[in-house]
Protein backbone atom coordinates (compact mmCIF):
# COMPACT_ATOMS: atom_id res chain seq x y z
CA UNK A 1 0.00 0.00 0.00
CA UNK A 2 1.41 3.36 -0.98
CA UNK A 3 2.20 5.89 1.73
CA UNK A 4 1.30 8.65 -0.71
CA UNK A 5 -2.33 9.76 -0.66
CA UNK A 6 -3.70 12.33 -3.06
CA UNK A 7 -6.60 14.61 -2.25
CA UNK A 8 -10.00 13.02 -2.89
CA UNK A 9 -10.78 15.15 -5.89
CA UNK A 10 -8.15 16.84 -8.07
CA UNK A 11 -8.00 20.66 -8.29
CA UNK A 12 -9.69 21.96 -11.47
CA UNK A 13 -7.60 22.02 -14.63
CA UNK A 14 -7.62 25.13 -16.81
CA UNK A 15 -6.52 24.96 -20.42
CA UNK A 16 -3.65 27.17 -21.64
CA UNK A 17 -4.66 30.13 -23.83
CA UNK A 18 -4.86 29.55 -27.58
CA UNK A 19 -1.81 30.90 -29.37
CA UNK A 20 -1.86 34.42 -30.79
CA UNK A 21 1.04 33.72 -33.13
CA UNK A 22 0.07 34.43 -36.73
CA UNK A 23 2.59 31.91 -38.07
CA UNK A 24 0.47 29.16 -36.51
CA UNK A 25 -2.92 30.52 -37.47
CA UNK A 26 -2.09 30.58 -41.16
CA UNK A 27 -0.99 26.97 -41.02
CA UNK A 28 -4.03 25.22 -39.60
CA UNK A 29 -5.05 22.11 -41.52
CA UNK A 30 -8.47 22.27 -43.08
CA UNK A 31 -10.21 19.53 -41.11
CA UNK A 32 -13.91 19.27 -41.66
CA UNK A 33 -15.87 18.32 -38.55
CA UNK A 34 -17.72 15.02 -38.69
CA UNK A 35 -20.81 15.06 -36.49
CA UNK A 36 -20.87 11.55 -35.07
CA UNK A 37 -24.38 12.00 -33.66
CA UNK A 38 -25.62 12.03 -37.29
CA UNK A 39 -25.08 8.28 -37.46
CA UNK A 40 -28.28 7.88 -35.52
CA UNK A 41 -30.21 9.64 -38.29
CA UNK A 42 -31.42 8.01 -41.52
CA UNK A 43 -28.95 8.68 -44.36
CA UNK A 44 -26.45 9.88 -41.75
CA UNK A 45 -23.95 7.10 -42.39
CA UNK A 46 -23.90 7.69 -46.14
CA UNK A 47 -23.29 11.40 -45.63
CA UNK A 48 -20.49 10.80 -43.14
CA UNK A 49 -18.84 8.10 -45.25
CA UNK A 50 -17.60 10.75 -47.66
CA UNK A 51 -15.60 12.41 -44.91
CA UNK A 52 -13.53 9.64 -43.41
CA UNK A 53 -10.62 9.07 -45.71
CA UNK A 54 -8.11 10.94 -43.58
CA UNK A 55 -7.98 12.73 -40.25
CA UNK A 56 -11.35 13.04 -38.59
CA UNK A 57 -12.57 15.79 -36.31
CA UNK A 58 -15.68 14.56 -34.55
CA UNK A 59 -18.11 16.70 -32.71
CA UNK A 60 -21.43 15.58 -31.33
CA UNK A 61 -19.34 13.21 -29.20
CA UNK A 62 -21.19 13.65 -25.92
CA UNK A 63 -18.24 14.37 -23.61
CA UNK A 64 -18.59 17.53 -21.53
CA UNK A 65 -15.83 20.10 -21.20
CA UNK A 66 -15.92 19.58 -17.45
CA UNK A 67 -15.35 15.84 -17.55
CA UNK A 68 -12.53 16.15 -20.08
CA UNK A 69 -10.85 18.71 -17.85
CA UNK A 70 -11.21 16.32 -14.90
CA UNK A 71 -9.17 13.79 -16.88
CA UNK A 72 -6.58 16.48 -17.60
CA UNK A 73 -6.44 17.26 -13.88
CA UNK A 74 -5.54 13.62 -13.21
CA UNK A 75 -3.04 13.70 -16.06
CA UNK A 76 -1.41 16.78 -14.50
CA UNK A 77 -1.38 15.30 -10.99
CA UNK A 78 -0.08 11.83 -11.80
CA UNK A 79 3.16 13.33 -13.14
CA UNK A 80 3.50 15.44 -9.98
CA UNK A 81 3.83 12.32 -7.84
CA UNK A 82 7.36 11.64 -6.56
CA UNK A 83 9.42 9.81 -9.17
CA UNK A 84 9.90 6.77 -6.94
CA UNK A 85 6.11 6.52 -6.57
CA UNK A 86 5.60 6.74 -10.37
CA UNK A 87 8.29 4.09 -10.90
CA UNK A 88 6.35 1.56 -8.86
CA UNK A 89 3.93 1.40 -11.81
CA UNK A 90 6.58 1.30 -14.57
CA UNK A 91 5.64 -0.29 -17.87
CA UNK A 92 7.85 -2.87 -19.56
CA UNK A 93 8.47 -1.15 -22.88
CA UNK A 94 11.38 -3.50 -23.68
CA UNK A 95 8.73 -6.24 -23.97
CA UNK A 96 6.45 -4.01 -26.01
CA UNK A 97 4.12 -3.35 -23.07
CA UNK A 98 2.94 0.22 -22.57
CA UNK A 99 0.63 -0.36 -19.59
CA UNK A 100 1.51 1.91 -16.68
CA UNK A 101 4.16 4.59 -16.31
CA UNK A 102 6.83 5.39 -18.88
CA UNK A 103 9.48 7.76 -17.62
CA UNK A 104 11.90 9.89 -19.62
CA UNK A 105 14.78 7.62 -20.68
CA UNK A 106 17.26 10.55 -20.75
CA UNK A 107 17.47 14.31 -21.41
CA UNK A 108 16.72 13.84 -25.07
CA UNK A 109 13.51 11.97 -24.29
CA UNK A 110 11.02 14.64 -23.21
CA UNK A 111 7.89 12.48 -22.95
CA UNK A 112 6.31 10.92 -19.89
CA UNK A 113 3.23 8.73 -20.16
CA UNK A 114 0.78 6.94 -17.93
CA UNK A 115 -1.33 4.37 -19.80
CA UNK A 116 -4.48 2.98 -18.19
CA UNK A 117 -5.53 -0.24 -19.95
CA UNK A 118 -9.11 -1.25 -20.56
CA UNK A 119 -10.98 -2.57 -17.57
CA UNK A 120 -10.93 -6.33 -18.13
CA UNK A 121 -9.48 -9.04 -15.85
CA UNK A 122 -6.56 -9.52 -18.26
CA UNK A 123 -5.32 -6.01 -17.48
CA UNK A 124 -6.11 -5.73 -13.81
CA UNK A 125 -3.10 -3.97 -12.23
CA UNK A 126 -2.11 -1.60 -9.45
CA UNK A 127 -2.34 2.17 -9.85
CA UNK A 128 -1.32 5.17 -7.74
CA UNK A 129 -3.90 6.09 -5.12
CA UNK A 130 -4.95 9.26 -6.94
CA UNK A 131 -5.92 7.13 -9.96
CA UNK A 132 -7.64 4.53 -7.76
CA UNK A 133 -9.65 7.32 -6.11
CA UNK A 134 -11.14 8.21 -9.51
CA UNK A 135 -11.14 4.75 -11.08
CA UNK A 136 -14.92 4.53 -11.58
CA UNK A 137 -14.94 7.79 -13.49
CA UNK A 138 -11.90 6.81 -15.58
CA UNK A 139 -13.58 3.49 -16.39
CA UNK A 140 -16.79 5.22 -17.42
CA UNK A 141 -14.84 7.71 -19.56
CA UNK A 142 -12.88 4.93 -21.31
CA UNK A 143 -15.93 2.73 -21.87
CA UNK A 144 -17.87 5.60 -23.40
CA UNK A 145 -15.04 6.26 -25.85
CA UNK A 146 -15.17 2.60 -26.81
CA UNK A 147 -18.97 2.40 -27.10
CA UNK A 148 -19.93 5.88 -28.30
CA UNK A 149 -16.98 6.87 -30.50
CA UNK A 150 -15.08 3.74 -31.57
CA UNK A 151 -18.01 1.43 -32.37
CA UNK A 152 -20.00 3.91 -34.54
CA UNK A 153 -16.84 4.77 -36.47
CA UNK A 154 -16.08 1.07 -36.99
CA UNK A 155 -19.57 0.67 -38.47
CA UNK A 156 -18.89 3.65 -40.68
CA UNK A 157 -15.71 2.03 -42.01
CA UNK A 158 -17.59 -1.23 -42.66
CA UNK A 159 -20.05 0.86 -44.69
CA UNK A 160 -17.24 2.65 -46.55
CA UNK A 161 -15.70 -0.71 -47.48
CA UNK A 162 -19.17 -2.01 -48.49
CA UNK A 163 -19.05 -4.97 -46.11
CA UNK A 164 -22.31 -6.95 -45.80
CA UNK A 165 -21.86 -7.18 -42.07
CA UNK A 166 -21.91 -3.70 -40.58
CA UNK A 167 -20.53 -5.20 -37.36
CA UNK A 168 -17.53 -6.84 -39.04
CA UNK A 169 -15.01 -4.54 -37.32
CA UNK A 170 -17.12 -4.22 -34.16
CA UNK A 171 -16.85 -8.01 -33.76
CA UNK A 172 -13.06 -7.72 -33.87
CA UNK A 173 -12.95 -4.98 -31.22
CA UNK A 174 -15.03 -6.56 -28.43
CA UNK A 175 -14.29 -4.81 -25.16
CA UNK A 176 -14.31 -8.02 -23.14
CA UNK A 177 -12.01 -9.88 -25.52
CA UNK A 178 -8.28 -10.35 -25.12
CA UNK A 179 -6.43 -7.36 -26.50
CA UNK A 180 -5.27 -3.97 -25.42
CA UNK A 181 -6.81 -0.53 -25.52
CA UNK A 182 -5.74 2.25 -23.23
CA UNK A 183 -6.33 5.76 -22.07
CA UNK A 184 -3.08 7.72 -22.12
CA UNK A 185 -2.03 10.68 -20.00
CA UNK A 186 0.99 12.37 -21.54
CA UNK A 187 3.36 15.14 -20.56
CA UNK A 188 5.94 16.81 -22.80
CA UNK A 189 8.75 18.73 -21.09
CA UNK A 190 9.95 21.58 -23.32
CA UNK A 191 13.67 21.67 -24.04
CA UNK A 192 15.56 24.97 -23.89
CA UNK A 193 14.66 26.87 -27.08
CA UNK A 194 18.23 26.98 -28.43
CA UNK A 195 18.81 23.22 -27.95
CA UNK A 196 15.45 22.40 -29.44
CA UNK A 197 16.19 24.42 -32.58
CA UNK A 198 19.84 23.43 -33.02
CA UNK A 199 19.68 19.71 -32.17
CA UNK A 200 16.13 18.66 -32.87
CA UNK A 201 14.85 21.05 -35.53
CA UNK A 202 12.08 21.84 -33.01
CA UNK A 203 10.56 18.40 -33.55
CA UNK A 204 9.37 16.70 -30.34
CA UNK A 205 8.00 13.50 -31.86
CA UNK A 206 8.93 12.76 -35.47
CA UNK A 207 6.24 12.11 -38.05
CA UNK A 208 4.73 8.66 -37.57
CA UNK A 209 1.58 6.62 -37.90
CA UNK A 210 -0.06 5.03 -34.87
CA UNK A 211 -0.01 1.23 -34.62
CA UNK A 212 -3.59 0.66 -33.48
CA UNK A 213 -7.02 1.08 -35.15
CA UNK A 214 -8.20 4.58 -34.23
CA UNK A 215 -6.65 7.15 -31.90
CA UNK A 216 -8.87 9.69 -30.12
CA UNK A 217 -7.19 12.95 -29.13
CA UNK A 218 -9.12 15.15 -26.73
CA UNK A 219 -9.06 18.92 -26.84
CA UNK A 220 -5.63 20.45 -26.22
CA UNK A 221 -5.19 24.08 -27.32
CA UNK A 222 -1.37 24.05 -27.42
CA UNK A 223 -0.44 24.31 -31.11
CA UNK A 224 1.94 21.41 -31.44
CA UNK A 225 0.28 18.47 -33.19
CA UNK A 226 0.72 18.57 -36.96
CA UNK A 227 -0.65 16.40 -39.73
CA UNK A 228 1.05 15.72 -43.03
CA UNK A 229 -1.24 16.75 -45.85
CA UNK A 230 -1.52 14.51 -48.94
CA UNK A 231 0.39 17.22 -50.85
CA UNK A 232 3.29 16.94 -48.39
CA UNK A 233 3.40 20.06 -46.18
CA UNK A 234 2.75 19.80 -42.45
CA UNK A 235 -0.23 21.67 -41.02
CA UNK A 236 -1.22 22.35 -37.42
CA UNK A 237 -4.24 20.48 -36.15
CA UNK A 238 -6.52 23.04 -34.60
CA UNK A 239 -8.09 21.45 -31.60
CA UNK A 240 -11.62 22.70 -31.05
CA UNK A 241 -13.13 22.53 -27.57
CA UNK A 242 -16.18 20.65 -28.85
CA UNK A 243 -14.30 18.15 -31.01
CA UNK A 244 -12.21 15.02 -30.67
CA UNK A 245 -9.52 14.54 -33.30
CA UNK A 246 -9.31 10.98 -34.60
CA UNK A 247 -6.31 9.42 -36.33
CA UNK A 248 -6.79 6.50 -38.64
CA UNK A 249 -4.06 4.07 -37.63
CA UNK A 250 -2.11 1.12 -39.07
CA UNK A 251 -4.70 -1.63 -38.50
CA UNK A 252 -7.27 0.15 -40.67
CA UNK A 253 -4.67 0.68 -43.35
CA UNK A 254 -3.89 -3.06 -43.31
CA UNK A 255 -7.59 -4.06 -43.21
CA UNK A 256 -8.29 -1.87 -46.23
CA UNK A 257 -5.26 -2.87 -48.32
CA UNK A 258 -4.05 0.73 -48.10
CA UNK A 259 -7.34 2.33 -49.17
CA UNK A 260 -7.64 4.01 -45.78
CA UNK A 261 -4.40 5.77 -44.93
CA UNK A 262 -2.81 5.73 -41.50
CA UNK A 263 -2.60 9.41 -40.55
CA UNK A 264 0.96 10.74 -40.56
CA UNK A 265 1.36 13.17 -37.69
CA UNK A 266 4.08 14.65 -35.48
CA UNK A 267 4.50 16.87 -32.44
CA UNK A 268 6.58 20.04 -32.72
CA UNK A 269 7.72 22.74 -30.32
CA UNK A 270 4.77 25.03 -29.61
CA UNK A 271 4.98 28.73 -30.57
CA UNK A 272 6.77 31.05 -28.10
CA UNK A 273 3.59 32.12 -26.31
CA UNK A 274 2.86 28.48 -25.41
CA UNK A 275 6.29 26.88 -25.08
CA UNK A 276 7.02 27.96 -21.53
CA UNK A 277 5.18 25.15 -19.75
CA UNK A 278 4.81 21.41 -20.21
CA UNK A 279 2.20 20.24 -22.68
CA UNK A 280 -0.32 17.63 -21.59
CA UNK A 281 -2.20 15.23 -23.88
CA UNK A 282 -5.25 13.08 -23.22
CA UNK A 283 -5.54 10.27 -25.76
CA UNK A 284 -7.38 6.96 -26.17
CA UNK A 285 -5.83 4.24 -28.33
CA UNK A 286 -8.27 1.60 -29.64
CA UNK A 287 -6.77 -1.60 -31.04
CA UNK A 288 -8.15 -4.73 -32.66
CA UNK A 289 -8.44 -7.82 -30.47
CA UNK A 290 -5.08 -9.49 -29.88
CA UNK A 291 -5.49 -12.42 -32.30
CA UNK A 292 -6.94 -10.48 -35.24
CA UNK A 293 -4.77 -10.82 -38.34
CA UNK A 294 -3.79 -7.63 -40.12
CA UNK A 295 -4.83 -8.33 -43.71
CA UNK A 296 -7.33 -6.88 -46.19
CA UNK A 297 -10.98 -7.71 -45.56
CA UNK A 298 -13.24 -9.23 -48.23
CA UNK A 299 -14.57 -5.93 -49.51
CA UNK A 300 -16.42 -5.43 -52.82
CA UNK A 301 -14.93 -1.94 -53.02
CA UNK A 302 -11.35 -3.17 -52.62
CA UNK A 303 -11.99 -5.94 -55.16
CA UNK A 304 -13.21 -3.38 -57.72
CA UNK A 305 -10.15 -1.24 -57.03
CA UNK A 306 -7.77 -4.23 -57.18
CA UNK A 307 -6.66 -3.57 -53.60
CA UNK A 308 -8.10 -6.70 -51.99
CA UNK A 309 -4.96 -8.81 -51.84
CA UNK A 310 -2.39 -6.24 -50.86
CA UNK A 311 -0.72 -7.39 -47.68
CA UNK A 312 1.86 -4.62 -47.40
CA UNK A 313 4.56 -7.23 -47.96
CA UNK A 314 4.16 -9.28 -44.75
CA UNK A 315 6.18 -12.49 -45.16
CA UNK A 316 3.77 -14.27 -42.80
CA UNK A 317 0.51 -13.41 -41.08
CA UNK A 318 0.85 -10.90 -38.28
CA UNK A 319 -1.68 -10.24 -35.54
CA UNK A 320 -2.66 -6.88 -34.10
CA UNK A 321 -0.90 -7.74 -30.87
CA UNK A 322 2.33 -8.80 -32.59
CA UNK A 323 2.39 -5.60 -34.63
CA UNK A 324 1.81 -3.31 -31.62
CA UNK A 325 4.36 -5.09 -29.43
CA UNK A 326 6.99 -5.05 -32.16
CA UNK A 327 6.50 -1.33 -32.74
CA UNK A 328 6.63 -0.45 -29.03
CA UNK A 329 9.75 -2.59 -28.53
CA UNK A 330 11.44 -0.91 -31.51
CA UNK A 331 10.64 2.50 -30.06
CA UNK A 332 12.10 1.39 -26.74
CA UNK A 333 15.38 0.30 -28.39
CA UNK A 334 15.65 3.68 -30.08
CA UNK A 335 14.91 5.60 -26.88
CA UNK A 336 17.55 3.81 -24.84
CA UNK A 337 20.11 4.01 -27.65
CA UNK A 338 20.18 0.30 -28.66
CA UNK A 339 19.38 1.19 -32.27
CA UNK A 340 20.24 4.39 -34.11
CA UNK A 341 16.97 4.69 -35.99
CA UNK A 342 13.34 3.95 -35.36
CA UNK A 343 12.99 3.05 -38.99
CA UNK A 344 13.68 -0.36 -40.46
CA UNK A 345 11.99 -3.74 -40.12
CA UNK A 346 9.35 -4.05 -37.44
CA UNK A 347 8.15 -7.61 -38.06
CA UNK A 348 7.68 -10.13 -40.91
CA UNK A 349 9.54 -7.95 -43.42
CA UNK A 350 7.45 -4.84 -42.90
CA UNK A 351 9.13 -1.60 -41.94
CA UNK A 352 8.00 1.46 -40.13
CA UNK A 353 8.66 4.79 -41.76
CA UNK A 354 9.23 8.15 -40.15
CA UNK A 355 8.61 11.45 -41.88
CA UNK A 356 10.36 14.82 -41.54
O1 LIG B 1 0.45 14.49 -28.05
C1 LIG B 1 -0.12 14.45 -29.14
O2 LIG B 1 -0.88 15.36 -29.52
C2 LIG B 1 0.07 13.29 -30.07
C3 LIG B 1 0.81 12.12 -29.46
C4 LIG B 1 1.05 11.01 -30.43
O3 LIG B 1 1.08 11.18 -31.62
C5 LIG B 1 1.24 9.63 -29.92
O4 LIG B 1 1.36 9.44 -28.70
O5 LIG B 1 1.23 8.68 -30.74
FE1 LIG C 1 0.80 9.29 -32.63
Amino acid sequence: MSSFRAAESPAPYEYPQETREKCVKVQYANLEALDISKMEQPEGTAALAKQVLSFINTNGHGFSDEEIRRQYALCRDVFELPLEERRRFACDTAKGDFRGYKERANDRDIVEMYNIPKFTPEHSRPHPQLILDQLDEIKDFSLRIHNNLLLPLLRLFAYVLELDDEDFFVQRHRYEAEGLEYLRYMKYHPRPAATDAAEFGNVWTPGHSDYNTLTFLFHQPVASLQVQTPEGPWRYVRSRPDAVVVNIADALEFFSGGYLKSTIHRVVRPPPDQADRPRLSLIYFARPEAKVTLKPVASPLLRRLGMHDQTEGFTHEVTAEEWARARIAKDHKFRVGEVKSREGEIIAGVSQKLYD
Side-chain angles (χ1 to χ4, degrees):
M1 183 73 195
S2 158
S3 56
F4 190 91
R5 266 202 89 89
E8 281 296 297
S9 200
Y13 173 78
E14 299 301 336
Y15 285 116
Q17 294 274 315
E18 260 212 353
T19 182
R20 297 203 162 87
E21 305 279 345
K22 282 210 182 59
C23 61
V24 170
K25 290 187 178 174
V26 297
Q27 285 187 50
Y28 280 131
N30 186 15
L31 296 176
E32 215 180 324
L34 176 148
D35 183 348
I36 201 164
S37 65
K38 274 200 194 145
M39 281 197 67
E40 288 157 19
Q41 300 162 13
E43 307 303 319
T45 306
L48 296 181
K50 300 195 183 91
Q51 277 184 254
V52 294
L53 293 181
S54 59
F55 233 100
I56 311 168
N57 214 356
T58 58
N59 54 18
H61 52 61
F63 288 86
S64 73
D65 170 60
E66 201 194 328
E67 66 180 324
I68 296 170
R69 283 193 292 115
R70 273 207 298 277
Q71 290 305 310
Y72 269 115
L74 287 170
C75 170
R76 174 198 62 204
D77 291 353
V78 80
F79 299 118
E80 299 288 322
L81 293 171
L83 182 58
E84 65 272 22
E85 172 74 3
R86 279 174 271 157
R87 280 186 173 153
R88 293 180 51 228
F89 307 96
C91 54
D92 195 350
T93 47
K95 291 210 176 111
D97 186 353
F98 248 155
R99 293 171 300 173
Y101 175 62
K102 179 231 156 252
E103 71 178 271
R104 299 172 62 183
N106 48 48
D107 279 354
R108 301 176 72 83
D109 177 11
I110 59 172
V111 179
E112 282 184 283
M113 295 179 198
Y114 193 82
N115 294 307
I116 303 173
K118 66 178 177 178
F119 292 80
T120 54
E122 181 195 358
H123 299 301
S124 146
R125 53 184 290 118
H127 290 291
Q129 190 62 44
L130 74 85
I131 300 284
L132 292 177
D133 285 345
Q134 313 298 328
L135 209 59
D136 287 346
E137 180 160 355
I138 298 170
K139 179 176 179 183
D140 173 70
F141 192 84
S142 304
L143 260 169
R144 279 164 53 221
I145 300 169
H146 181 96
N147 290 330
N148 301 352
L149 295 181
L150 173 67
L151 299 187
L153 286 172
L154 291 178
R155 292 196 180 97
L156 190 56
F157 287 114
Y159 178 91
V160 168
L161 295 172
E162 302 174 7
L163 306 187
D164 285 341
D165 179 5
E166 69 160 5
D167 279 346
F168 182 87
F169 293 124
V170 169
Q171 286 306 327
R172 283 152 183 81
H173 291 76
R174 290 167 303 164
Y175 194 82
E176 300 305 327
E178 196 192 324
L180 186 52
E181 295 189 5
Y182 41 74
L183 182 68
R184 172 176 294 176
Y185 300 148
M186 243 176 142
K187 182 172 185 175
Y188 297 78
H189 298 262
R191 303 180 178 106
T195 316
D196 222 357
E199 289 182 38
F200 299 91
N202 289 326
V203 172
W204 283 4
T205 304
H208 65 280
S209 63
D210 291 340
Y211 43 78
N212 45 308
T213 306
L214 289 172
T215 307
F216 300 90
L217 299 114
F218 284 85
H219 179 54
Q220 170 48 272
V222 177
S224 188
L225 176 64
Q226 295 188 325
V227 55
Q228 192 173 40
T229 55
E231 302 75 42
W234 294 95
R235 292 281 179 256
Y236 285 97
V237 176
R238 183 171 199 183
S239 170
R240 295 175 193 280
D242 64 343
V244 175
V245 169
V246 187
N247 287 341
I248 290 179
D250 292 349
L252 274 173
E253 182 161 330
F254 291 131
F255 289 148
S256 70
Y259 179 74
L260 298 164
K261 293 274 178 263
S262 208
T263 313
I264 307 302
H265 57 288
R266 68 179 184 180
V267 179
V268 299
R269 182 179 180 81
D273 64 351
Q274 292 184 321
D276 60 340
R277 64 158 153 161
R279 173 178 182 270
L280 302 181
S281 279
L282 175 66
I283 308 179
Y284 191 82
F285 291 86
R287 272 195 213 168
E289 294 173 19
K291 304 268 172 3
V292 171
T293 307
L294 299 176
K295 62 180 182 203
V297 298
S299 148
L301 174 73
L302 299 184
R303 202 172 299 276
R304 278 203 307 285
L305 297 172
M307 299 175 91
H308 57 292
D309 59 2
Q310 296 187 21
T311 53
E312 298 277 333
F314 280 131
T315 51
H316 58 80
E317 289 201 340
V318 169
T319 64
E321 178 170 19
E322 287 167 339
W323 179 251
R325 276 189 187 277
R327 280 208 44 190
I328 295 168
K330 180 87 173 202
D331 252 30
H332 167 89
K333 285 190 178 155
F334 172 75
R335 239 186 349 261
V336 300
E338 277 176 38
V339 295
K340 287 270 170 303
S341 166
R342 278 201 264 205
E343 296 193 272
E345 183 179 351
I346 297 292
I347 189 169
V350 175
S351 296
Q352 120 119 342
K353 293 185 219 69
L354 294 180
Y355 306 79
D356 289 326

